[in-house]
Amino acid sequence: MLSASARRSAARQFPLRLTTGAFFLNSGISKLRADEATAEGLQQFAAMTYPFLKKQDAEKFARLLSVGELAIAATLLVPVVPAAVAGAALTAFSVATLGLYLRTPGMREEGSLRPTEQGIALAKDVWLLGIGVALVADGVTEHEHR
């Protein structure tokens, strides 16, 4: 049986894990069905910031991205996965996407962290970073209380 502290922690985490997990589930499923043009667009965009991805086959890249997003969805949506593990996966993914935001020309206003119209889609990943860090912190403090 869960302690009162563990139940409170699970209740706090539930909305974060459910909404973020559902978002990743949808995104991962969508990329599974990516056509060639979509796969190439994803791969080329990512390769602007992460040049080693230029060598990757576009369709394979889209599949790997999809599988990664589905794996993150699973860590968030399966309640037995510790919060720290789910949060670490989410944090790592969001750091990579924020790297795209920070390093891709046209995503930010000149000399600022403020997003341009085109940058909003990536700038929102700062929320994912916050959720990931919150889950890690909650998981670590929950573990310390045991």
Side-chain angles (χ1 to χ4, degrees):
M1 181 159 210
L2 291 175
S3 69
S5 174
R7 284 192 307 275
R8 282 191 303 274
S9 182
R12 246 189 342 266
Q13 294 168 16
F14 179 74
L16 297 175
R17 291 179 75 149
L18 178 64
T19 57
T20 309
F23 177 86
F24 271 88
L25 183 63
N26 180 62
S27 185
I29 289 171
S30 297
K31 286 180 182 73
L32 272 178
R33 295 176 261 170
D35 60 21
E36 188 177 335
T38 301
E40 286 177 7
L42 288 168
Q43 186 259 351
Q44 288 171 2
F45 182 71
M48 284 192 294
T49 300
Y50 302 110
F52 67 92
L53 294 174
K54 288 178 186 173
K55 298 175 186 173
Q56 183 74 257
D57 174 73
E59 290 181 15
K60 184 177 180 183
F61 173 76
R63 270 193 315 276
L64 289 172
L65 182 57
S66 171
V67 168
E69 289 180 342
L70 292 170
I72 292 169
T75 66
L76 291 162
L77 295 171
V78 176
V80 297
V81 176
V85 172
L90 182 58
T91 298
F93 185 90
S94 63
V95 165
T97 57
L98 287 172
L100 285 169
Y101 171 70
L102 293 171
R103 297 164 77 191
T104 302
M107 296 291 112
R108 296 180 293 120
E109 292 182 6
E110 188 74 29
S112 172
L113 288 176
R114 293 179 48 154
T116 61
E117 187 77 26
Q118 297 80 19
I120 289 174
L122 288 174
K124 59 100 178 105
D125 286 351
V126 74
W127 300 332
L128 298 176
L129 177 63
I131 293 167
V133 171
L135 288 171
V136 169
D138 203 35
V140 168
T141 57
E142 180 183 297
H143 182 72
E144 289 174 355
H145 286 32
R146 289 184 187 167

